Amino acid sequence: MDYSDIQPLMAAYHRRLAATDLRFKRYLHNDIDWNVRLVGIKGARGVGKTTMLLQHIKETFGDIDQVLYVSLDNLWFSSHRLEKLVEFLYTRGVTHLYLDEVHKHKNWATLLKNFYDDYPDLHIVYTGSATLFIENSVADLSRRQSLHTLGGLSFREYLEYEGVTKLQPLTMEELLSNHVSYAMDVAKRVKVLKHFEDYLRRGYYPYYKEAGDNYLVRVSEVARLVIESDLPAVEDITYSTTEKIKKLLMVIAESVPLQPNINKLAGQLESTRDPTLKMLYLLDRAALLWLLTDKAKDYKHLTGPKKIYLNNPNLMPALSGHVDEGTMRETFFANQVGAVASLTMPKQGDFLVDGKYLFEVSGSGKRYTQIANIPDSYLAVDDIETGYGNRIPLWLFGCLY
């Protein structure tokens, strides 16, 4: 191997780096300790993992040829071995390697372990599909790496990305105790409900800006690619199974929120209970569905979910012709709060957060009566800028990250 062999990779890397904008960075960018020798970042397709890598390179390295960014879905790897590339780069002074889309390489986990062990001063950052069980990979990367998950844009990030305002994220405890003053400060500067309505329909995936009027079509296309390309790269599933998974997603999209009868769903797919459960949990891991269970989700021991939502509000108009406002509210709450806390299905109300805080999600006309006598219970209310007491504006739950 010589430099002429890797020229296509270098050219692609330089082009992408030159086009990278530094003005807006995702919430995770400053939370990562980039000095750790092995950093893993997983997340749904389209949430901005690649951009974050390139931003870090662009603002960190004066000599960009100390570094190589490469995506493992590049056709170059159909006739070249990653091991040879790493050896060539390392012996010529490259100190940092950024590997995108690692799930596209069959032996990614074993190779990362070997790179970590064999090149003791090489720093590696990699990204992978949200579906990866990176924590339990056969190579046991957990002892070696720092692992992070990148979600889509929060409502808080969306406001910053749009140039509307820059807000500090809240912890759940801060939100519950200080929501009135925080919301009043935002409301005096921003027509927050207008922006919230826009976000619910086109704000979760950062590519909404470049996609323009074709955004919902693009969201639908990305969902298809996740099922047809990402899932088979991670799981040993057949073409017939991917077709069933697509059908399952569309059946659910037309019925959310669904309190599922797993046997009935299995019948619609011409399948049985266990494979249907596995498909549901695959879609949950792929960030296309949100499964609400009565106990913390366990991907090793699959139990029937009590309620099923699409993963985020933007998927609703992209995959279904009918969008129910109440379902949209609950989907937003599950997506934003579930990114920072555990959610389970309570006996009363809509969501139990971290096993402690009970929430009912509603429109502005809802009264605080049904759950009023339950400790640590709250209403998450749509169509209000500010709240009071245990009535909290729904949009505020988009400020948790």
Side-chain angles (χ1 to χ4, degrees):
M1 182 175 290
D2 58 35
Y3 279 108
S4 64
D5 292 319
I6 68 170
Q7 182 57 34
L9 296 180
M10 298 297 290
Y13 160 48
H14 290 165
R15 281 195 299 269
R16 298 192 77 163
L17 194 65
T20 299
D21 193 326
L22 297 175
R23 287 176 293 180
F24 171 79
K25 297 184 182 72
R26 296 300 314 281
Y27 71 96
L28 190 59
H29 190 277
N30 292 329
D31 292 341
I32 295 174
D33 182 354
W34 298 96
N35 294 315
V36 173
R37 281 192 52 224
L38 182 60
V39 175
I41 304 166
K42 66 176 186 175
R45 182 185 282 258
V47 296
K49 301 184 297 294
T50 299
T51 298
M52 190 165 65
L53 294 193
L54 293 167
Q55 286 177 329
H56 174 67
I57 294 170
K58 193 168 186 175
E59 71 175 7
T60 303
F61 297 95
D63 179 4
I64 62 171
D65 290 331
Q66 282 182 274
V67 182
L68 181 66
Y69 160 87
V70 65
S71 179
L72 296 189
D73 64 356
N74 192 307
L75 284 174
W76 190 88
F77 290 101
S78 63
S79 59
H80 298 82
R81 292 173 59 190
L82 178 60
E83 308 96 295
K84 296 290 186 182
L85 174 66
V86 173
E87 173 68 16
F88 177 82
L89 294 171
Y90 180 79
T91 56
R92 285 155 181 81
V94 169
T95 58
H96 291 72
L97 191 59
Y98 293 79
L99 302 176
D100 215 355
E101 305 283 342
V102 296
H103 58 281
K104 295 296 185 178
H105 197 291
K106 184 178 180 181
N107 298 315
W108 65 271
T110 300
L111 287 175
L112 287 178
K113 173 191 173 296
N114 291 341
F115 296 157
Y116 182 93
D117 293 341
D118 296 344
Y119 303 101
D121 53 350
L122 180 66
H123 288 73
I124 301 171
V125 182
Y126 71 92
T127 75
S129 164
T131 58
L132 289 181
F133 270 139
I134 296 174
E135 301 91 332
N136 302 311
S137 67
V138 292
D140 187 18
L141 295 177
S142 59
R143 294 184 295 106
R144 296 169 170 85
Q145 71 177 345
S146 173
L147 180 63
H148 305 269
T149 300
L150 181 66
L153 290 173
S154 67
F155 178 54
R156 182 193 69 83
E157 288 185 294
Y158 170 80
L159 291 174
E160 182 179 346
Y161 195 36
E162 282 288 289
V164 176
T165 190
K166 187 171 183 178
L167 305 174
Q168 290 300 311
L170 294 162
T171 66
M172 179 60 71
E173 288 71 24
E174 288 171 339
L175 188 154
L176 297 180
S177 61
N178 299 325
H179 68 87
V180 175
S181 59
Y182 188 97
M184 287 178 65
D185 179 63
V186 176
K188 72 183 180 183
R189 294 183 281 125
V190 176
K191 299 294 184 184
V192 67
L193 294 183
K194 174 190 180 301
H195 294 294
F196 184 53
E197 290 174 1
D198 292 341
Y199 168 82
L200 291 176
R201 287 162 176 79
R202 55 124 220 167
Y204 186 72
Y205 299 102
Y207 57 76
Y208 75 85
K209 283 195 175 184
E210 65 183 68
D213 292 340
N214 292 320
Y215 173 64
L216 294 181
V217 174
R218 177 114 170 242
V219 172
S220 177
E221 178 67 9
V222 166
R224 182 186 65 80
L225 286 171
V226 168
I227 296 171
E228 293 182 353
S229 179
D230 294 348
L231 289 183
V234 175
E235 296 287 330
D236 184 17
I237 55 178
T238 64
Y239 172 79
S240 173
T241 300
T242 62
E243 292 300 299
K244 288 180 180 179
I245 292 173
K246 283 193 286 187
K247 180 177 180 180
L248 178 61
L249 178 62
M250 296 311 296
V251 166
I252 292 169
E254 296 293 337
S255 308
V256 289
L258 180 65
Q259 297 183 18
N261 180 317
I262 301 300
N263 291 327
K264 183 177 178 180
L265 275 178
Q268 290 178 272
L269 301 176
E270 298 180 350
S271 184
T272 55
R273 178 182 175 83
D274 286 350
T276 300
L277 268 179
K278 183 177 180 181
M279 285 186 271
L280 284 172
Y281 277 84
L282 276 174
L283 287 168
D284 180 272
R285 283 169 49 202
L288 292 175
L289 292 183
W290 188 276
L291 305 186
L292 190 64
T293 53
D294 56 3
K295 296 180 181 179
K297 272 183 285 195
D298 183 350
Y299 292 106
K300 291 183 180 179
H301 306 94
L302 307 185
T303 58
K306 299 301 181 183
K307 215 168 188 179
I308 302 176
Y309 298 92
L310 292 176
N311 175 269
N312 64 79
N314 291 185
L315 284 168
M316 296 178 65
L319 299 181
S320 172
H322 173 69
V323 177
D324 177 77
E325 291 300 317
T327 304
M328 179 79 84
R329 296 169 187 141
E330 292 179 29
T331 302
F332 167 79
F333 185 95
N335 173 264
Q336 297 284 281
V337 178
V340 299
S342 69
L343 294 184
T344 51
M345 180 83 169
K347 294 180 179 179
Q348 288 181 265
D350 295 317
F351 299 98
L352 186 63
V353 176
D354 286 339
K356 179 179 181 180
Y357 304 115
L358 180 67
F359 288 93
E360 191 162 302
V361 181
S362 69
S364 58
K366 184 78 172 183
R367 293 185 177 182
Y368 181 62
T369 54
Q370 186 174 340
I371 57 175
N373 295 322
I374 301 175
D376 293 313
S377 60
Y378 304 87
L379 288 182
V381 184
D382 197 9
D383 297 321
I384 61 171
E385 289 185 327
T386 61
Y388 58 89
N390 287 23
R391 291 174 59 89
I392 304 173
L394 179 62
W395 64 264
L396 261 181
F397 293 90
C399 299
L400 292 169
Y401 69 87

